[in-house]
Amino acid sequence: MIKLILLFILLSPFSLSAATTPKEGITQENFADEMKYETNFDEAVKKAKKSGKGVMLVLVANYCPWCRKFEQRVLSRGDADEALRKNYVPLILNKEEGKFPKRFLTYFTPVVQFIDYKTLQSHETIVGYNNKEDFFYFIKVKE
């Protein structure tokens, strides 16, 4: 029995599925395409209304290293992506491009806002970088 437990402990780091690890090859330039995030506010709202889901707006900036870390270490994880897509249409926008309603503009990045598709009001905001455990916990609690 002890041998089986030791074997399990030794092999468990190697048994992580692709769903729990970040997707490789994700860059700032290709994040939205690779992860299939919307990049147009109005289109995301249309999809949300059609599906009855909220919109999860991720606001980033070119100069923000924490935005890149959030994309690469958290949002690109298959398990986090799957969990958030159950209830939200993911949308990523660059605040420097300004193609979104100004009421969602903040001085900080990254910022995640959970928007009701009926009222177009943010009902929850997460400011700054969150590690994968904190963000995953938050989206699981929201289910």
Side-chain angles (χ1 to χ4, degrees):
M1 181 67 166
I2 293 176
K3 288 181 182 180
L4 284 175
I5 293 172
L6 286 175
L7 183 63
F8 176 75
I9 291 171
L10 290 173
L11 292 178
S12 62
F14 301 105
S15 64
L16 294 175
S17 71
T20 61
T21 58
K23 192 172 181 180
E24 291 192 30
I26 301 286
T27 66
Q28 175 182 352
E29 293 79 21
N30 72 4
F31 178 84
D33 288 336
E34 289 289 322
M35 295 302 298
K36 296 181 178 35
Y37 273 43
E38 286 296 321
T39 56
N40 178 290
F41 184 83
D42 294 331
E43 288 300 315
V45 170
K46 283 181 191 175
K47 280 189 174 182
K49 286 180 179 179
K50 186 176 181 179
S51 66
K53 298 177 181 181
V55 175
M56 184 191 78
L57 166 62
V58 180
L59 195 60
V60 297
N62 292 335
Y63 59 82
C64 174
W66 290 105
C67 297
R68 303 297 81 74
K69 288 180 182 181
F70 188 55
E71 291 169 357
Q72 294 170 352
R73 295 180 183 174
V74 180
L75 297 177
S76 66
R77 284 176 50 129
D79 52 353
D81 188 57
E82 181 181 325
L84 70 88
R85 286 178 190 272
K86 287 180 184 176
N87 297 309
Y88 300 99
V89 173
L91 166 69
I92 189 163
L93 297 173
N94 189 316
K95 80 179 226 174
E96 295 173 69
E97 294 173 8
K99 298 177 182 175
F100 55 92
K102 297 302 175 211
R103 68 178 172 268
F104 299 118
L105 180 63
T106 66
Y107 293 105
F108 305 102
T109 54
V111 172
V112 179
Q113 296 196 35
F114 295 91
I115 302 167
D116 184 285
Y117 74 91
K118 294 176 186 173
T119 64
L120 297 184
Q121 297 297 316
S122 175
H123 56 83
E124 193 77 48
T125 302
I126 302 173
V127 179
Y129 174 82
N130 283 272
N131 66 35
K132 58 190 171 206
E133 289 81 14
D134 291 342
F135 186 74
F136 193 69
Y137 174 78
F138 181 80
I139 59 175
K140 290 299 256 181
V141 167
K142 301 291 283 177
E143 289 182 341

